[in-house]
Amino acid sequence: MTTTTTGFDRALQHLVVNYRWVFASFFLLPLSFLYEVWSYARNWLVFKLNTAPKQHNKKVQYVQRQVRQWKESGGNIPMCTARPGYQTMSLRKPKYKNTMYNIHVNLVDVLEVNEEKQTVRCEPLVTMGQLTATLNPLGWTIPVVPELDDLTVGGLVMGTGVESTSHIYGLFQHICVSYELVMGDGSVVTCSKENNPDLFYAVPWSYGTLGLLTAAEIKIIPAKRYVKLHYQPVYTLDDAVGLFAKESKSKEHQFVEGLMFSKNEGVIMTGDMVSFSKGETINEIGKWYKPWFFLHVKKFLKKGPGHEVIPLRDYYHRHTRALFWEVQDIIPFGNNIIFRYLFGWMMPPKVSLLKLTETKAITDLYENHHMIQDFLIPVSALKEAITVSHKAVEIYPLWLCPFNLPNDPGMVHPAANNEEMYVDLGVYGVPKTGNFDAVKTTRHMEDFIASVHGFQMLYADSFRTKDEFRQMFDHSLYDIFRKKYNATEAFPDVYNKVSKAARI
């Protein structure tokens, strides 16, 4: 049986692809806003009533029962969480969920803030927006707060996360104290540096293929009210790389970040938490009517060096409203001052809703004419990496975020036997080069990353073969615990969850 595309279908496809902003503005933005209001109110109430700790054990037991049911059914197919693929922050949808045994994991709450131990205990679906809204009013924060509101604790543990404090504290996994998991046999295991340390180091980057994360304990540090942020424009690639490396390695400032607006022009930002703002300009960049942060930063290329004081939570989520700069391709006039004042309070559209309403035409468009990648490379290779990216895709802005990479066991560590400063090179947008090929270009950039002992984040498209993937990531500890906990039958291999073949 063959199907034909009608004129109406073609017209609808043209409308959805070329006028997606209509749908996003009038449908997705209001739905996103209503969901945010409901979610914030629900989480606030649960935390205030302290009901989550009482319910946590029951929810974990429910996960255990499902795993045991899988075993009783024969355990013929591997397990994964039942969380719909559209709810993840990756632009791709995992098609493996359609062929695996789905385990429902409804673990969405902050369980405990322990000020004496200086830790917070969270369930895996707690988001960064939820966590900062809970901790900041109490005078606390976590040392590494990845920028986008909807990133979850579980995703940042099982994948990874980085932020402008990472040059001091490392990746998200490095601020975690312990993990609680339901293993493939239905047992509950807790691991930390002191208790079952090898499993503790094997969990990050394992993508839920060793066990199902049910809680994570994370360090907290005292928070101050504001961030004093300095903007230093640079006008040559050498100056950009030199200043960025200097500020990252000196660790003089709590926050270090860079945005490159062309191969030779960028702004390097450094900042520190401060308690008060007497005599200083306060810029509440989180307000709905404020310009998108990356465009605000770009103005310093003409204005010259400057500084301002920003409320802490506004700073943490500075890239949320524009999803770094991805929203400009969805709602091109989203930064228009009239739009910001009238509708900016609904921004941004939820990534989950964008994915849920995505047509095949839009999927194909992103597949063939768009790149979202985070490449983790030694700072010493940054200049060459920017040059390679410029020749391959010419996408700007580029995000530069430094992080300290300890020589811990696990899938990701420096090639040398000592700590090393790395940088996350974020490449998000539409390639400007005329010879872009999604597979060939990405593989070319992946080959470069591998050649400098770098890594790519697992949420993004990966075209590595399994052998190449295993060469990029150290599987030695991972393989040991896959066998020890019989995870080889219970869960898919990490490659089979993150490779391009596993995603739509």
Side-chain angles (χ1 to χ4, degrees), residues 157-158 176-181 183 188-204 210 213 215-217 481 485:
V157 169
M158 292 295 186
C176 292
V177 176
S178 68
Y179 308 122
E180 177 189 82
L181 304 105
M183 311 308 289
V188 176
V189 174
T190 300
C191 57
S192 65
K193 290 182 180 179
E194 296 75 32
N195 175 34
N196 208 348
D198 286 342
L199 178 60
F200 176 78
Y201 288 117
V203 165
L210 292 175
L213 184 69
E217 189 178 9
F481 281 90
Y485 287 100

Side-chain angles (χ1 to χ4, degrees), residues 232-243:
Q232 178 62 56
V234 285
Y235 304 100
T236 70
L237 181 55
D238 285 336
D239 285 348
V241 171
L243 180 61

Side-chain angles (χ1 to χ4, degrees), residues 366-386:
Y366 273 97
E367 181 86 16
N368 299 311
H369 305 286
H370 199 268
M371 175 175 278
I372 296 186
Q373 292 280 350
D374 282 87
F375 297 119
L376 312 181
I377 56 173
V379 166
S380 58
L382 179 57
K383 179 180 178 180
E384 187 179 1
I386 293 174

Side-chain angles (χ1 to χ4, degrees), residues 40-185:
Y40 181 87
R42 183 256 175 215
N43 295 333
W44 180 86
L45 186 63
V46 168
F47 186 75
K48 287 296 182 182
L49 295 177
N50 198 32
T51 59
K54 303 170 188 174
Q55 296 299 316
H56 178 70
N57 287 340
K58 293 180 181 179
K59 291 190 282 187
V60 172
Q61 289 166 7
Y62 176 57
V63 174
Q64 291 179 279
R65 284 199 302 272
Q66 293 177 80
V67 172
R68 290 173 184 141
Q69 288 169 1
W70 165 81
K71 288 182 66 178
E72 292 168 2
S73 70
N76 296 322
I77 57 175
M79 293 180 285
C80 68
T81 67
R83 188 187 185 205
Y86 70 83
Q87 290 184 0
T88 64
M89 286 300 290
S90 168
L91 284 184
R92 303 292 181 233
K93 300 173 189 175
K95 60 185 179 183
Y96 61 79
K97 287 183 181 284
N98 299 328
T99 59
M100 295 184 186
Y101 192 97
N102 284 199
I103 304 294
H104 295 271
V105 182
N106 184 32
L107 296 160
V108 297
D109 293 311
V110 177
L111 298 173
E112 179 190 23
V113 178
N114 190 322
E115 297 188 10
E116 185 176 339
K117 288 176 59 181
Q118 295 196 9
T119 60
V120 58
R121 190 163 179 254
C122 303
E123 293 179 332
L125 296 182
V126 169
T127 67
M128 290 299 99
Q130 178 184 353
L131 195 52
T132 55
T134 301
L135 289 176
N136 290 173
L138 300 175
W140 296 95
T141 185
I142 58 174
V144 176
V145 184
E147 287 80 0
L148 300 183
D149 278 21
D150 289 346
L151 292 169
T152 64
V153 168
L156 296 167
V157 169
M158 292 295 186
T160 195
V162 65
E163 201 262 333
S164 56
T165 55
S166 289
H167 64 297
I168 296 173
Y169 296 104
L171 298 171
F172 192 84
Q173 69 204 58
H174 300 124
I175 65 167
C176 292
V177 176
S178 68
Y179 308 122
E180 177 189 82
L181 304 105
V182 173
M183 311 308 289
D185 62 357

Side-chain angles (χ1 to χ4, degrees), residues 188-367:
V188 176
V189 174
T190 300
C191 57
S192 65
K193 290 182 180 179
E194 296 75 32
N195 175 34
N196 208 348
D198 286 342
L199 178 60
F200 176 78
Y201 288 117
V203 165
W205 296 78
S206 66
Y207 236 68
T209 61
L210 292 175
L212 300 167
L213 184 69
T214 53
E217 189 178 9
I218 307 165
K219 296 175 186 176
I220 59 175
I221 58 174
K224 295 182 180 179
R225 190 172 178 183
Y226 302 103
V227 172
K228 186 172 184 179
L229 192 63
H230 298 264
Y231 303 86
Q232 178 62 56
V234 285
Y235 304 100
T236 70
L237 181 55
D238 285 336
D239 285 348
V241 171
L243 180 61
F244 181 82
K246 173 180 172 291
E247 296 292 0
S248 302
K249 293 176 181 178
S250 73
K251 302 182 182 181
E252 180 180 346
H253 297 286
Q254 290 175 292
F255 305 96
V256 177
E257 177 185 28
L259 292 181
M260 294 298 295
F261 295 97
S262 71
K263 184 181 177 182
N264 294 305
E265 290 188 325
V267 178
I268 308 301
M269 290 162 276
T270 57
D272 297 281
M273 280 193 277
V274 293
S275 299
F276 57 91
S277 58
K278 186 177 180 180
E280 298 282 1
T281 301
I282 298 178
N283 185 1
E284 296 179 289
I285 59 174
K287 295 291 187 183
W288 74 93
Y289 53 83
K290 288 289 187 175
W292 290 342
F293 182 69
F294 78 98
L295 293 175
H296 171 65
V297 174
K298 190 175 183 179
K299 293 177 182 177
F300 287 91
L301 288 174
K302 292 183 178 179
K303 291 169 59 176
H307 73 272
E308 60 190 357
V309 174
I310 300 172
L312 178 63
R313 193 161 186 268
D314 285 15
Y315 174 79
Y316 276 148
H317 302 290
R318 62 200 178 278
H319 291 300
T320 291
R321 282 192 301 125
L323 298 176
F324 280 90
W325 32 91
E326 287 288 286
V327 168
Q328 66 183 343
D329 292 329
I330 301 168
I331 305 177
F333 48 81
N335 193 57
N336 178 277
I337 189 170
I338 297 174
F339 182 89
R340 292 202 314 266
Y341 270 90
L342 293 179
F343 304 109
W345 47 274
M346 294 188 289
M347 293 288 279
K350 303 290 282 185
V351 172
S352 58
L353 292 178
L354 288 170
K355 290 169 66 177
L356 184 62
T357 57
E358 191 175 276
T359 66
K360 185 179 184 304
I362 294 174
T363 300
D364 292 342
L365 189 70
Y366 273 97
E367 181 86 16

